[in-house]
Amino acid sequence: MRKTLTCILIITILMFSFENISFAAGPTFSMAANTTNVNIGDNITLTINGQNLNDLYGFEVDVSFNRNMFDFVNANTNIKGFEVSPIVKNGVVIYAVTKVSNTTGINGNQQLCTLTFKAKSSGIAQLKLENVETINSKLDPPINYSGNSINVTVNSNNPPSNNNGGTTNDLGTVTTTGNTTTLILDTSKTLATINNTQGSQVTIDLTSVGTTKEKAVEIPKDVIIAAKDNEKDIIIKSDNVQLVLTKDSLDLSNVSSSIIVSIKDNGNANVGGYTALSNTIDINIISGDNNVTLKKPVKVTLNISKANDARKVAVYYYNETTGKWEYVGGKADKNNNTITFDAKHFSQYAALEYDKTFNDIKTHWAKDAIEVLASKHIVSGIDDNNFAPDNSITRAEFASMMIRLLGISESPYQVEFTDVKTGDWYANAIEAAYKAGIILGDGNTMRPDDKITREEMAAIAMRVYSKLTTYNEEDINKTSFSDDSQISDWAKAVVANASKLGIIQGEPNNLFAPKGNATRAEAAAVVYRLLDKSNNL
């Protein structure tokens, strides 16, 4: 009897207690689509959202799709941190993002990311959020959550014709004149897209717009201003080309109503001694009959999936005045098989691979570094067939290599130094390096023809590294080299930092040989490591 009463009492207490307890809902994750009805060639964007988040520090989403009906295009996130490039395997996209440093996770509701796919065949297919794996800022064991699925219909029908002889498009009207297909954006539709699109980008994809060699988009000035006001970049894609118009890319002072961005495929870039990885792409931005002025370079991305060695790939532009292809540069992305460069003006561009070698480096320890730098036109041989890797290098030669590494243009010499004269082959390079703070000189002299010492090379290398990165030089008064006492006091910190970073290495027997003359091969190795350590290869 006593046990029965005790049980009743406990149950009664619990019942009354639960009336005053509110249980917080756990995290949930869902996937939404911008549309569930598309045509072949159209994009569909999935948005992954998290609700009731509690200290979300990192996540991985797994989304499955029908590989026969869709191609994965890209993934984006607004969460600041480290983003892992998407992995596509067996019809599943795996995308992960994590915050960095000692910071708390996300609480409440948050859009995690967007995934974009392109429809390629008709039918009905399911896109499914298979799994969301999360981790908190305490790095406790990850937790997995299930998601939802969305059925999408892909139509094979072509867009209906309109009264103007063009075709309709989600954002405007498509017209074809001669060899050019133009998407004329509808202002109200595009403004609605800008206002309703999450993230910092609005994409205009011309890939499936027509089949002509030249494709263009006419963008109203109001759309450009709205994108700027909403802190959104306009991404324009066409087949294997992408360009980014940021909020401050264009000078709109002479634009009355709209601009036209055109991308023309001029066919194979036939350049002797180079392997063409892209066709020649002719890009132009006009308003009326006039070119639109660029306020800052426009980032352009080309496909280089056929590259043998992405380190030896660069973008070149065709100089119509000289009739020659000129080196531009660019940064290759080995994971996505692309190269991105800053277009300071519009012209004909192509991605080319240059495989240059020299007869006297076939068995040299610095062979790979020399060949990569020769492909980037940072170093050159003493003639077309020989590099002379073990010859000493002068201060002027090393300074010239540094400005080419940084992409700094030579400047007219201002006669600051008594030992550099106007007309000397290195005068303008010295001027550019001096203005950039790369090489300092000794008062009124620069000693351009002196052989550069290893400690001088370390000092210049660290100045360049600080321009390539956000690295703050550590205050180290002593190195670990056996001949530390022979390193000049002014050079100890730079030698220590360069050695710690792996930018410059010692000699056998733990010696640095600070007063020794650097060789051309050693200089090439230092330049290569600067590019490598700063993620600019």
Side-chain angles (χ1 to χ4, degrees):
M1 183 66 175
R2 182 176 295 174
K3 290 183 177 179
T4 302
L5 290 173
T6 301
C7 290
I8 292 172
L9 180 61
I10 292 171
I11 292 170
T12 302
I13 293 171
L14 290 174
M15 289 177 65
F16 280 102
S17 298
F18 285 152
E19 289 180 357
N20 298 313
I21 296 175
S22 60
F23 289 92
T28 59
F29 299 88
S30 61
M31 179 175 70
N34 65 326
T35 180
T36 57
N37 195 303
V38 296
N39 294 321
I40 292 175
D42 288 345
N43 284 351
I44 178 171
T45 298
L46 304 178
T47 302
I48 315 298
N49 295 301
Q51 297 83 28
N52 301 316
L53 302 176
N54 182 18
D55 192 25
L56 176 73
Y57 191 78
F59 68 88
E60 176 192 295
V61 297
D62 301 345
V63 175
S64 62
F65 65 102
N66 187 323
R67 289 179 291 175
N68 294 322
M69 292 182 62
F70 292 97
D71 284 330
F72 173 68
V73 179
N74 60 38
N76 287 291
T77 185
N78 289 329
I79 297 175
K80 294 182 179 180
F82 179 78
E83 181 180 355
V84 179
S85 296
I87 299 172
V88 181
K89 186 176 181 181
N90 298 325
V92 177
V93 177
I94 303 170
Y95 180 54
V97 176
T98 181
K99 296 171 76 67
V100 294
S101 73
N102 185 20
T103 183
T104 58
I106 298 168
N107 297 303
N109 301 332
Q110 172 75 42
Q111 176 185 304
L112 302 186
C113 63
T114 61
L115 304 179
T116 301
F117 298 81
K118 175 176 285 188
K120 62 180 181 180
S121 64
S122 60
I124 299 176
Q126 185 183 81
L127 297 165
K128 185 176 181 181
L129 180 58
E130 297 283 354
N131 180 61
V132 179
E133 185 177 85
T134 67
I135 192 169
N136 60 25
S137 62
K138 298 178 182 178
L139 303 183
D140 291 333
I143 301 175
N144 292 278
Y145 299 87
S146 58
N148 60 307
S149 61
I150 297 173
N151 290 327
V152 178
T153 300
V154 180
N155 305 304
S156 60
N157 59 296
N158 294 319
S161 296
N162 65 18
N163 294 331
N164 297 322
T167 59
T168 60
N169 181 278
D170 286 345
L171 293 179
T173 303
V174 179
T175 61
T176 301
T177 303
N179 293 319
T180 304
T181 301
T182 303
L183 168 60
I184 304 172
L185 295 182
D186 180 274
T187 301
S188 59
K189 290 181 179 179
T190 311
L191 289 177
T193 299
I194 291 173
N195 293 327
N196 296 327
T197 299
Q198 298 292 328
S200 59
Q201 298 177 340
V202 175
T203 301
I204 301 170
D205 196 341
L206 303 177
T207 302
S208 59
V209 177
T211 58
T212 55
K213 292 293 185 182
E214 182 172 4
K215 297 180 182 182
V217 56
E218 183 173 337
I219 309 175
K221 184 176 181 178
D222 289 345
V223 168
I224 302 171
I225 295 173
K228 179 179 180 179
D229 292 342
N230 283 271
E231 299 287 331
K232 286 183 169 66
D233 296 336
I234 298 176
I235 312 297
I236 301 173
K237 294 183 178 180
S238 180
D239 301 298
N240 293 317
V241 186
Q242 172 181 298
L243 62 89
V244 182
L245 298 180
T246 63
K247 63 180 181 179
D248 48 3
S249 292
L250 306 178
D251 181 356
L252 301 179
S253 59
N254 293 320
V255 175
S256 56
S257 59
S258 65
I259 66 168
I260 296 177
V261 181
S262 66
I263 303 173
K264 184 179 180 182
D265 186 338
N266 282 339
N268 183 52
N270 187 15
V271 185
Y274 294 75
T275 301
L277 302 178
S278 75
N279 283 351
T280 301
I281 304 301
D282 193 354
I283 302 174
N284 285 288
I285 301 181
I286 62 173
S287 179
D289 296 327
N290 301 314
N291 292 325
V292 175
T293 303
L294 297 183
K295 293 173 64 177
K296 62 179 294 187
V298 171
K299 289 193 178 300
V300 180
T301 301
L302 303 177
N303 183 283
I304 56 169
S305 57
K306 297 179 182 179
N308 292 314
D309 187 343
R311 299 175 303 167
K312 299 179 179 179
V313 177
V315 174
Y316 296 73
Y317 92 94
Y318 184 70
N319 187 326
E320 295 183 355
T321 301
T322 63
K324 296 180 179 180
W325 287 88
E326 296 187 5
Y327 179 83
V328 175
K331 184 175 181 180
D333 184 334
K334 302 173 193 174
N335 294 325
N336 293 317
N337 293 318
T338 58
I339 187 168
T340 300
F341 68 100
D342 289 333
K344 299 177 181 179
H345 55 81
F346 287 120
S347 178
Q348 298 185 69
Y349 292 96
L352 308 175
E353 184 170 358
Y354 182 36
D355 194 7
K356 175 63 178 176
T357 191
F358 301 94
N359 295 335
D360 56 357
I361 65 169
K362 291 180 179 179
T363 60
H364 199 278
W365 62 268
K367 176 178 183 294
D368 183 64
I370 292 169
E371 289 179 342
V372 171
L373 297 183
S375 74
K376 296 179 179 296
H377 303 274
I378 294 175
V379 304
S380 57
I382 59 171
D383 56 43
D384 193 51
N385 297 314
N386 297 286
F387 186 75
D390 298 319
N391 286 7
S392 298
I393 184 170
T394 66
R395 286 166 53 84
E397 289 171 334
F398 192 67
S400 298
M401 290 169 60
M402 291 296 102
I403 66 167
R404 290 194 290 269
L405 180 157
L406 292 170
I408 299 174
S409 300
E410 294 188 357
S411 301
Y413 180 55
Q414 301 299 316
V415 196
E416 292 95 341
F417 305 103
T418 59
D419 53 359
V420 178
K421 296 180 177 60
T422 301
D424 289 340
W425 72 264
Y426 45 70
N428 293 346
I430 289 289
E431 182 70 24
Y434 178 63
K435 281 184 177 179
I438 295 170
I439 190 166
L440 304 181
D442 297 328
N444 294 325
T445 62
M446 181 54 72
R447 299 186 291 111
D449 296 316
D450 283 8
K451 297 174 181 178
I452 194 169
T453 65
R454 287 170 51 79
E455 63 182 9
E456 288 176 332
M457 183 169 65
I460 294 173
M462 286 307 302
R463 293 181 198 127
V464 170
Y465 188 69
S466 68
K467 294 181 179 297
L468 294 170
T469 68
T470 57
Y471 180 76
N472 291 320
E473 189 175 294
E474 296 182 31
D475 186 12
I476 309 173
N477 296 320
K478 185 177 177 61
T479 72
S480 59
F481 294 108
S482 299
D483 55 354
D484 177 79
S485 61
Q486 298 179 30
I487 301 174
S488 301
D489 290 340
W490 63 264
K492 284 189 187 292
V494 292
V495 171
N497 279 269
S499 175
K500 180 179 179 180
L501 291 167
I503 292 172
I504 195 164
Q505 298 176 356
E507 301 285 2
N509 301 317
N510 194 37
L511 298 175
F512 183 70
K515 305 298 190 294
N517 295 325
T519 67
R520 287 168 54 83
E522 287 174 334
V526 167
V527 174
Y528 182 91
R529 294 183 200 122
L530 284 170
L531 291 170
D532 186 29
K533 302 294 182 182
S534 62
N535 194 30
N536 280 289
L537 270 182

